[in-house]
């Protein structure tokens, strides 16, 4: 559920993105240990945040879990690479 909360369709509204952030924050509060998990592709929540442009969540998460910025997925991509490959230059 934590990873699913960070999925956004290509066409989405700002309202949907804000709701997804709220859902993520609720799930994170209940299960903070899940932040260190990786999905089947090796992505962390930071990869997902970077992919979909969740900048405020990214900043909050990296403030408490900076090591997640240095985790590669199974393609060898760090979250920074994921952001760039998905046009999230911010």
């Amino acid at each position: 559920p934590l990873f699913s909360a960070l999925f956004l369709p290509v066409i989405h509204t700002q309202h949907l993105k804000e709701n997804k952030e709220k859902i993520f924050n609720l799930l994170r509060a209940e299960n903070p240990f899940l932040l260190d998990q990786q999905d089947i592709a090796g992505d962390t929540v930071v990869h997902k945040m970077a992919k979909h442009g969740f900048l405020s969540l990214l900043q909050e998460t990296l403030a408490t879990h900076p090591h997640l910025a240095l985790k590669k997925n199974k393609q060898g991509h760090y979250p920074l690479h994921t952001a760039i490959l998905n046009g999230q230059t911010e």
Side-chain angles (χ1 to χ4, degrees), residues 18-57:
E18 290 168 1
N19 282 343
K20 293 279 193 165
E21 288 178 2
K22 290 175 186 174
I23 292 167
F24 178 83
N25 283 326
L26 289 171
L27 292 170
R28 176 177 51 186
E30 292 294 320
N31 301 294
F33 61 90
L34 292 177
L35 291 176
D36 287 311
Q37 300 297 311
Q38 291 178 274
D39 68 7
I40 196 164
D43 289 338
T44 64
V45 292
V46 173
H47 284 91
K48 299 294 186 187
M49 291 172 190
K51 180 178 183 177
H52 295 288
F54 288 103
L55 297 178
S56 61
L57 290 178

Side-chain angles (χ1 to χ4, degrees), residues 3 8 11 17 32 38 40 51 61 65 73 81 86-87:
F3 283 82
L8 281 174
I11 299 173
K17 190 172 185 177
Q38 291 178 274
I40 196 164
K51 180 178 183 177
T61 303
H65 294 75
N73 63 15
H81 296 121
N86 287 278

Side-chain angles (χ1 to χ4, degrees), residues 75-86:
Q75 292 180 326
H77 297 157
Y78 293 100
L80 179 61
H81 296 121
T82 301
I84 292 167
L85 291 170
N86 287 278

